[in-house]
């Protein structure tokens, strides 16, 4: 396993924790829920020889700070995008590639629209867009989206955090249900439980759902404005069997990305990077190698 | 307060607990979730002088038995309807009026279709029907229906039952959120928590959601068969502000009932009988007085 270097950086009004490994062109690894930096370990192991991998925890997750520890709607995609830009500034990085999914897929789209000059390329595992529209509330999707409301309940963190068993049941449910390779997270489940039981980390994650709700509702209702098209080179590797971010939704990606290549990870669900890390690493290498070289960072 | 007589009756393979009060024409009072017989206390107080009020606990609720204590899909509307018929037989009652809502609104419709000769009249507080269709998944309804999926999770009862605080948070949320008169259940909340913390009662209630899901999905998808029209005289008093069973859905009641009178409880949400018990009692009296006299029970 590559040596992982942990550091903490003052960013945007709070401290961002970053796990880094390797050396070379910088690749930011951006997690989803229920995840944190450690979800990238399988990719760190496979890519650290060739890239400088930078895996932050979003605000409210794992070891990063959280300026809004109570239930808050101040943790939406634009806020997290600003956090990432502040982190790049703190690290002295002009331009990076980004690999991410889930929560990060929303953040990456906002980054690409607002700060395209800071990005060499975007690599998504699964990628919901505005054009998914009312497919979010299709009859057979209803059973999959309940947690997006539950996580907004003021008592959700107390319920899930009532005991270690409760936390394991809830976090473990999603780590298994969203996987196609059902045992993918079995060996690290207790670490995940440790992480989400750290004070503030359940609410920290749930604040994403509170903050994202207005945009989610607008997408479902078909009233969300169509965002500008993203021109940053983009690669999407979509887990074929993701039960919540459906691979069928890849059909609308060209409405949002002018330069996108899409393929499917046939052995994966939601967590392609964890379920098929060999495939994921191969495709990440191939994509970023196909781009013009990422400029060196501003400082060493 | 009227004297309440508690009894237990062998019915349909398990023991049904019944709270009874008063004397006169028999009126069955059928509860919803998260409720049990005690939800009828405000009406028992107001109606026991003129009716024999019979408030059972559905299987898996409160003090009734439960032949399927594990997560089970064997507790749907037809099963609960059979339970009620078995109870009427055990009590020696040929024909009764029924007052009910929520879970019971589904059970009452099945009873009226399958056993109309056992019913003198139906009084619903709020009444969702098959014709509600895809309004169940309208954008602004999505935030209201999450619990219908959450309650189907195999770990839901463990989560909600992890502590008294957890149980109070979840049950208390719905008792307040679904009310228009927000303090309606404040004085009995701890009794409700006591009840749902009794072994098996959380899962017992959640089994309704597991069992009802296929029918719910068919309604949402528009594939549910249109049931035969109900001819039993029917009265619906719909809480205007019910956030989950929308009073706007009253528009399709005539598609399901050939003899129905509808009005709205302007000061109520989901629990009209608890939020506006004076109005509820007045309208129940008026409705059942307007019907041909209910025959006496078969035995004294």
């Amino acid at each position: 396993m590559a040596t992982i270097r942990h550091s903490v950086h003052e960013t945007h009004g709070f401290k961002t924790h970053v796990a880094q490994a390797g050396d070379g062109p910088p690749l930011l690894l951006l997690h989803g829920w229920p995840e944190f930096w450690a979800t990238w370990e399988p990719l760190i192991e496979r890519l650290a020889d060739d890239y400088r991998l930078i895996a932050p925890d979003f605000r409210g997750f794992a070891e990063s700070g959280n300026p809004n520890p109570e239930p808050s709607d101040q943790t939406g995609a634009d806020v997290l995008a600003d956090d990432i830009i502040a982190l790049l500034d703190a690290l002295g990085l002009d331009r990076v590639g980004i690999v991410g999914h889930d929560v990060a897929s929303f953040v990456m789209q906002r980054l690409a629209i607002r700060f395209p000059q800071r990005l060499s390329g975007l690599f998504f595992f699964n990628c919901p867009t505005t054009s998914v529209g009312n497919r979010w509330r299709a009859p057979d999707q209803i059973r999959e989206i309940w947690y997006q409301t539950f996580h907004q309940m003021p008592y959700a963190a107390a319920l899930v955090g009532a005991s270690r068993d409760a936390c394991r049941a809830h976090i473990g449910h999603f780590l298994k249900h969203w996987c196609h390779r059902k045992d993918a997270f079995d060996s690290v489940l207790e670490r995940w439980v440790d992480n989400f039981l750290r004070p503030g980390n359940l609410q920290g994650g749930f604040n994403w759902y509170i903050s994202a709700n207005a945009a989610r509702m607008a997408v479902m209702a078909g009233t969300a404005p169509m965002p500008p098209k993203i021109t940053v080179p983009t690669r999407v590797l979509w887990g074929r069997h993701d039960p919540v971010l459906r691979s069928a939704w890849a059909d609308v990606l060209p409405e949002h990305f002018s330069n996108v290549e899409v393929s499917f990870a046939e052995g994966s669900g939601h967590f392609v990077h964890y379920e098929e890390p060999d495939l994921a690493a191969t495709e990440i290498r191939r994509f970023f190698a196909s781009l013009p070289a990422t400029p060196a960072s501003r400082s060493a």
Side-chain angles (χ1 to χ4, degrees), chain A residues 109-276:
Chain A
Q109 291 177 66
R110 294 306 301 162
L111 282 167
I113 289 164
R114 296 173 54 208
F115 308 99
Q117 73 285 3
R118 307 296 294 267
L119 309 173
S120 58
L122 298 171
F123 192 107
F124 293 86
F125 301 111
N126 315 357
C127 185
T129 58
T130 299
S131 297
V132 170
N134 65 11
R135 287 194 277 181
W136 269 112
R137 54 188 178 89
D140 66 351
Q141 186 72 3
I142 294 293
R143 68 172 184 272
E144 300 295 341
I145 61 174
W146 66 276
Y147 70 97
Q148 297 169 1
T149 305
F150 171 53
H151 288 177
Q152 298 178 52
M153 295 293 119
Y155 65 95
L159 211 61
V160 176
S163 70
R164 188 170 182 92
D165 284 347
C167 185
R168 185 190 300 107
H170 190 63
I171 300 293
H173 167 73
F174 291 101
L175 291 177
K176 197 170 286 282
H177 176 60
W178 286 345
C179 276
H180 184 64
R181 182 162 78 74
K182 291 295 181 190
D183 63 352
F185 287 92
D186 283 2
S187 67
V188 295
L189 178 58
E190 295 306 316
R191 279 178 68 198
W192 255 244
V193 177
D194 288 341
N195 172 71
F196 281 99
L197 285 176
R198 287 168 62 116
N201 278 0
L202 284 168
Q203 189 61 55
F206 293 167
N207 283 352
W208 162 255
Y209 296 95
I210 300 172
S211 304
N213 190 57
R216 178 176 87 104
M217 288 290 116
V219 166
M220 281 188 182
T223 58
M226 192 68 173
K229 215 160 186 174
I230 290 168
T231 56
V232 176
T234 297
R235 173 78 170 89
V236 178
L237 178 60
W238 207 310
R240 178 71 78 184
H241 308 284
D242 189 338
V244 62
L245 305 180
R246 308 279 181 134
S247 53
W249 300 348
D251 61 353
V252 291
L253 287 169
E255 298 176 23
H256 292 271
F257 298 91
S258 61
N259 179 0
V260 60
E261 184 195 338
V262 184
S263 70
F264 299 92
E266 301 293 344
S268 289
H270 188 67
F271 303 98
V272 182
H273 55 291
Y274 222 93
E275 298 183 73
E276 292 183 280

